[in-house]
Amino acid sequence: MTTTTEADGNAGPDGRTAPAASTDAAEGTDTAAGAEGTDTAAAGGSPYALSHLDALESEAVHIFREVAGEFERPVILFSGGKDSIVMLHLALKAFAPAAVPFSLLHVDTGHNFPEVLDFRDRTVAEHGLRLHVASVQEFIDAGKLRERPDGTRNPLQTVPLLDAIERNRFDAVFGGGRRDEEKARAKERVFSLRDEFGGWNPRRQRPELWQLYNGRHSPGEHVRVFPLSNWTELDVWQYIAREKIELPAIYYAHEREVFARNGMWLAPGEWGGPKDGERTETRRVRYRTVGDMSCTGAVDSGADTIEAVITEIAASRLTERGATRADDKLSEAAMEDRKREGYF
C-alpha cells in the first residue's frame, strides 16, 4: 500500500554540527508540567544553556541529518504510536522547510487498534508522505506465516519487516526504541548494525564516542537507527506537551470494554479474545504503548490530559513495556531473542 508520492528533499547541512535550539528552546524553559525541575543546565542562568529537552531534540535532529548524509534509502518505521509520532515530528524539524527525504514503513499485524491506524493515515496524508505497509495477514494468506495458538501476531512481524527492507533496498531503518523500555534495548547503540539476515549481534555493536556514528555496512546488511535512544517515557511526554503534538485518543483515559488476562486488561477483538470464562467489563483506562491488540494491555487511569499523564508516569515504577506488553513476558530474554532474529 502506498499513499501519495514520496517527498523529495535535500539533507541540508552536513549533519555534524548540532542544530540551533528551536524557538521554544531559545527561551530556556519547558512548558510541560514537571519539566522545569529537570533543566539543571538552564538553571545556571546562561542564556546559551540548553534545557534537557532541547539537548535531546538537538541530538535526534543531528542523527536524522547524519543518516540523510550517509545512507541512500533510509525509511522511518511509523505505526501511529507515540514514539513514532515524535520521531516523525523530529524528522520534520530536521529538514524544514524542505520535505522529509524518507518514506515511512508500517508492519501491520492486522490486529492493530483502529483509532491508531486512522491516525496513521491522516498523518501521512497531512504531510504528503509515502507509506509502505507490510501486512502480516498477506503473509498468512500466502502460507508464508502461520497463526500462533495464543492469537498474538507481534512475533510474526519479523518476516514481513525483513521482506520489506530487502524488497525496497532500505539501508537504514529508523525505529522508536528507547533504552529505558527493556533490558535488551538498553544494549543497543544509536546505529545498530544488522547482518544480511536482519539479525542483531550485540558483539558487533560499535563504539559511539562524541556522537560519532559508524554507518558502514556490507552489501545485504543494513543499519537500524534509534534517535530516541537516550529519551525516557517521561521525556517523550514532556516533549509532546511542549511541542503540542497530537496523539491518538487511546493514550488518554477513556471508557473501554476490556477483560482480564495474565494480569492485564486486554481489549476484545477478532484476534480471539475473550476466551470462555473471561468476562468483559467497562473500565476507565488508557494505553501507555500501542501495538497488537492481543498482547497490549491497558492500565486503569483517570489521566485524560497531558499534564495528568505526565504526573502519572512520574510516579510509576514500571516501564511501559514491562507493565503492558505480554509478548515481553514470554521469557526473560524474549525481546533479545526476537532482536537476534530481525525484530526491531
Side-chain angles (χ1 to χ4, degrees), residues 84-102:
S84 63
I85 291 169
V86 168
M87 265 206 311
L88 179 57
H89 180 85
L90 289 163
L92 290 165
K93 275 197 163 188
F95 302 104
V100 175
F102 316 132

Side-chain angles (χ1 to χ4, degrees), residues 75-81 83-84 87 105-109 112 132 134 136 153-165 172-179 181-182 184-190 192-194 197-200 205 222-227 229 289-292 295 321 325 327-328 334-344:
V75 69
I76 300 175
L77 290 173
F78 185 77
S79 64
D83 294 320
S84 63
M87 265 206 311
L105 170 63
H106 181 214
V107 183
D108 186 356
T109 67
N112 297 98
H132 304 270
V136 171
R153 289 184 174 179
N154 238 35
L156 303 183
Q157 294 179 88
T158 300
V159 173
L161 170 65
L162 296 179
D163 176 80
I165 291 172
V173 182
F174 288 100
R178 306 189 320 271
R179 291 179 177 138
E181 291 181 278
E182 199 272 341
R185 286 186 167 172
K187 298 179 181 180
E188 285 277 19
R189 299 288 193 266
V190 174
S192 178
L193 181 66
R194 301 301 172 104
F197 303 106
W200 173 72
Q205 298 293 291
H222 69 277
V223 175
R224 306 282 172 91
V225 183
F226 301 100
S229 282
T289 182
V290 297
D292 192 284
C295 63
R321 294 192 71 93
R325 293 300 287 268
D327 52 329
D328 290 344
M335 173 67 82
E336 184 159 337
D337 291 342
R338 282 178 288 155
K339 284 163 64 67
R340 290 179 184 272
E341 296 170 358
Y343 188 78
F344 41 85

Side-chain angles (χ1 to χ4, degrees), residues 3 11 69 76 82 91 98 116 138 163 166 209 211 243 313 327:
T3 305
I76 300 175
K82 72 179 188 311
V116 178
E138 289 181 5
D163 176 80
E166 181 180 7
L209 303 175
Q211 290 186 310
E243 300 289 302
I313 293 171
D327 52 329

Side-chain angles (χ1 to χ4, degrees), residues 182-255:
E182 199 272 341
K183 57 188 178 183
R185 286 186 167 172
K187 298 179 181 180
E188 285 277 19
R189 299 288 193 266
V190 174
F191 276 31
S192 178
L193 181 66
R194 301 301 172 104
D195 64 25
E196 64 271 26
F197 303 106
W200 173 72
N201 184 348
R203 294 174 182 266
R204 295 187 69 195
Q205 298 293 291
R206 297 155 170 172
E208 294 179 337
L209 303 175
W210 310 296
Q211 290 186 310
L212 296 176
Y213 305 110
N214 185 350
R216 286 179 296 178
H217 58 284
S218 300
E221 296 180 336
H222 69 277
V223 175
R224 306 282 172 91
V225 183
F226 301 100
L228 303 184
S229 282
N230 293 323
W231 298 52
T232 66
E233 182 184 9
L234 185 58
D235 293 330
V236 169
W237 275 98
Q238 289 176 340
Y239 189 73
I240 288 168
R242 191 187 80 172
E243 300 289 302
K244 298 179 175 59
I245 299 173
E246 183 185 359
L247 295 180
I250 196 171
Y251 281 106
Y252 301 100
H254 59 285
E255 299 288 332

Side-chain angles (χ1 to χ4, degrees), residues 6-48:
E6 186 167 5
D8 293 321
N10 296 320
D14 62 7
R16 295 196 177 274
T17 302
S22 63
T23 302
D24 289 342
E27 299 174 2
T29 60
D30 289 317
T31 57
E36 63 271 17
T38 63
D39 294 335
T40 55
S46 170
Y48 304 105

